[in-house]
Amino acid sequence: MKDILNFLIDVGRLKKMPRRGWVLRGIKNPETIAAHTFRMTIMSWVLCCKKRLNLNKVLKMCLIHDLCEVCAGDTTPYDNMLPKDKKQWKKILDKWPRLSKKKKEEFFLKKYRKERDGLKKLIADLPLNIKKEIYNLWEDYEKGLTLEGKFVRQLDRAENLLQALEYWKKGKKFAIAPWWIQIEELIDDPVILEFTHALEQKFHPKSER
Amino acid sequence: MEEKKFYLTKEGLERIEKEYEALKELKLAKTKGESPKVMHSEDLNPEYLAFQEDIDFLELRIIELENIIKNSELIRLPRREKQNVVDLGAQVTVEVDGQKDQFTLVGSLEANPSVGKISDESPVGKALLGHKVGDAVVVSSPIQTIYRIKKVKYHLS
């Protein structure tokens, strides 16, 4: 039980870890990694009823998808692009970063390895069956191996878009374009596309365009 | 109603067939009350693990995979005169907002945007299909984005 307790104490750190994307954009009191996980898990439950998926697996996958960040920290696609001079950040953050296929593969692999090692470290002392379950669910999510993995991966982006729109609506202190551009390239699940359509109608009413 | 076609590369179809065979083996072992060997290994096996306790979902996934295999169609190299047009399997180089980007257009089952494989069912994938080098493709979510197609290449086996 001591090992399980230590694991839970480590997981609790996510309740205090701010999401890096908001920190980079200077959002005050930004949401934590745990807060993102909470709403994403609820989202998966309520949207899953429109799909024929294994809900048990989807819920567990949502809960563990960012556990690796306890040890690996939060990574954003902008991390290698930002110069020391913070004044230049806005210009970079206002655009969705474009990379060659080779660079995308390199970035993915580097992030994947860092997060995989972080997760392995976090769950190292858990009982074997739960350790394997967490690790396999994470691999599935990370690589989109099954229908559930693909669904949760896209949900992660959709929750992030919802949060971005909520912050953006408050003061429009950053460009919302990168989120929408990303969504249009990443999402192909019909239920999640329907959800993003609802977001568009709520946050970008035609009267304001 | 016409059944949905699943467009796959040769490698993608092989992966699906492998999963299908493995799950059938798992189902057989479960119905015999055995614990399949694969459950004891340290190998990556998310497909097996999800079905460890739930035979209904295992059966559902087997039916799903059967349906995919039955309705799969291999992505083939288009005719020479069509190779400047974006279709499934194409590697597309685009310019967006002054920046270069590269995508490979694949079916939904093989999409992985993190490594540049985008689904033909995504809004951008759908919009690019059928366009050729020199075209400017406009995608409008609330934000209008213009994708200028610079190069189309096929690397299919």
Side-chain angles (χ1 to χ4, degrees):
Chain A
M1 195 52 83
K2 199 175 132 201
D3 290 334
I4 291 177
L5 174 61
N6 287 336
F7 165 75
L8 293 171
I9 290 169
D10 283 341
V11 169
R13 284 165 53 195
L14 294 178
K15 294 201 283 182
K16 288 184 180 163
M17 286 172 73
R19 299 256 285 164
R20 187 163 159 73
W22 310 131
V23 176
L24 295 178
R25 287 172 179 85
I27 303 288
K28 281 183 188 163
N29 302 317
E31 68 160 348
T32 61
I33 296 169
H36 158 70
T37 297
F38 169 72
R39 185 159 64 178
M40 184 180 146
T41 309
I42 300 280
M43 256 172 87
S44 76
W45 185 9
V46 295
L47 293 179
C48 212
C49 68
K50 293 187 164 208
K51 297 191 66 78
R52 217 176 51 162
L53 293 176
N54 182 341
L55 178 62
N56 182 27
K57 183 178 171 188
V58 166
L59 292 172
K60 284 180 181 177
M61 199 181 283
C62 285
L63 286 171
I64 63 91
H65 83 285
D66 273 345
L67 282 192
C68 56
E69 293 179 9
V70 169
C71 299
D74 193 4
T75 311
T76 81
Y78 297 96
D79 287 344
N80 296 330
M81 304 174 147
L82 298 172
K84 276 187 183 170
D85 180 9
K86 287 190 178 180
K87 284 178 191 160
Q88 292 180 43
W89 285 14
K90 191 177 179 321
K91 202 176 143 197
I92 297 167
L93 293 168
D94 279 356
K95 280 189 176 184
W96 175 241
R98 300 283 172 185
L99 301 169
S100 67
K101 198 164 184 285
K102 194 170 166 240
K103 287 270 177 209
K104 278 182 205 171
E105 284 167 357
E106 279 171 14
F107 178 82
F108 174 77
L109 208 63
K110 195 175 161 197
K111 178 175 177 282
Y112 164 76
R113 285 181 179 144
K114 185 176 146 196
E115 295 187 340
R116 178 198 60 193
D117 295 347
L119 183 68
K120 280 187 171 175
K121 193 175 160 198
L122 177 75
I123 62 177
D125 297 325
L126 286 177
L128 184 64
N129 60 343
I130 191 80
K131 182 161 83 172
K132 278 180 73 175
E133 185 172 13
I134 292 175
Y135 183 74
N136 287 327
L137 283 166
W138 181 80
E139 279 278 355
D140 188 349
Y141 159 76
E142 193 60 25
K143 295 179 179 165
L145 294 175
T146 64
L147 295 177
E148 287 80 8
K150 283 186 184 298
F151 180 69
V152 174
R153 207 162 168 76
Q154 296 188 27
L155 263 183
D156 175 54
R157 298 294 82 216
E159 198 289 325
N160 185 238
L161 171 65
L162 169 55
Q163 184 60 73
L165 286 163
E166 286 171 336
Y167 284 143
W168 175 75
K169 197 78 182 171
K170 269 188 190 170
K172 301 196 175 167
K173 285 177 183 157
F174 57 88
I176 197 68
W179 276 272
W180 279 113
I181 290 169
Q182 186 196 168
I183 285 288
E184 300 286 301
E185 292 172 13
L186 263 60
I187 309 286
D188 75 346
D189 183 280
V191 173
I192 303 179
L193 280 173
E194 195 187 331
F195 177 75
T196 60
H197 186 61
L199 287 178
E200 182 178 340
Q201 287 176 330
K202 184 162 182 71
F203 289 92
H204 301 271
K206 284 197 171 131
S207 57
E208 288 181 18
R209 285 189 221 170
Chain B
M1 203 175 81
E2 203 182 320
E3 286 193 88
K4 187 186 171 183
K5 278 252 172 267
F6 296 95
Y7 294 94
L8 292 162
T9 57
K10 196 167 161 248
E11 299 76 39
L13 180 60
E14 280 169 6
R15 201 179 81 83
I16 299 275
E17 285 172 338
K18 211 169 139 190
E19 186 190 344
Y20 174 65
E21 291 305 324
L23 290 185
K24 274 204 313 189
E25 191 192 317
L26 177 64
K27 187 184 160 191
L28 189 69
K30 277 175 82 88
T31 42
K32 281 186 189 168
E34 294 167 3
S35 175
K37 280 177 206 152
V38 75
M39 297 304 297
H40 301 297
S41 86
E42 279 284 344
D43 296 342
L44 168 64
N45 49 23
E47 291 89 354
Y48 312 111
L49 207 88
F51 304 117
Q52 199 171 3
E53 284 159 11
D54 200 330
I55 192 88
D56 291 342
F57 274 109
L58 174 61
E59 281 169 354
L60 201 69
R61 181 69 176 154
I62 290 174
I63 293 167
E64 234 165 45
L65 292 173
E66 260 168 8
N67 182 47
I68 292 170
I69 294 166
K70 193 178 110 196
N71 293 296
S72 66
E73 201 163 308
L74 276 185
I75 299 174
R76 295 189 191 281
L77 192 67
R79 290 197 311 269
R80 184 175 278 273
E81 65 271 23
K82 291 264 181 189
Q83 286 184 13
N84 66 336
V85 177
V86 180
D87 202 345
L88 279 161
Q91 186 176 302
V92 192
T93 306
V94 291
E95 193 190 281
V96 193
D97 201 10
Q99 300 181 92
K100 252 192 183 176
D101 204 340
Q102 275 180 330
F103 309 117
T104 303
L105 220 65
V106 293
S108 179
L109 290 172
E110 287 183 88
N112 184 357
S114 306
V115 293
K117 290 181 183 174
I118 69 164
S119 164
D120 65 326
E121 292 173 35
S122 68
V124 171
K126 262 188 206 165
L128 289 174
L129 275 176
H131 284 278
K132 55 183 189 304
V133 176
D135 285 356
V137 180
V138 181
V139 179
S140 299
S141 51
I143 311 297
Q144 196 183 64
T145 314
I146 303 168
Y147 292 78
R148 294 181 196 283
I149 303 176
K150 296 287 173 192
K151 206 161 141 191
V152 178
K153 252 171 106 178
Y154 288 88
H155 300 281
L156 294 166
S157 49

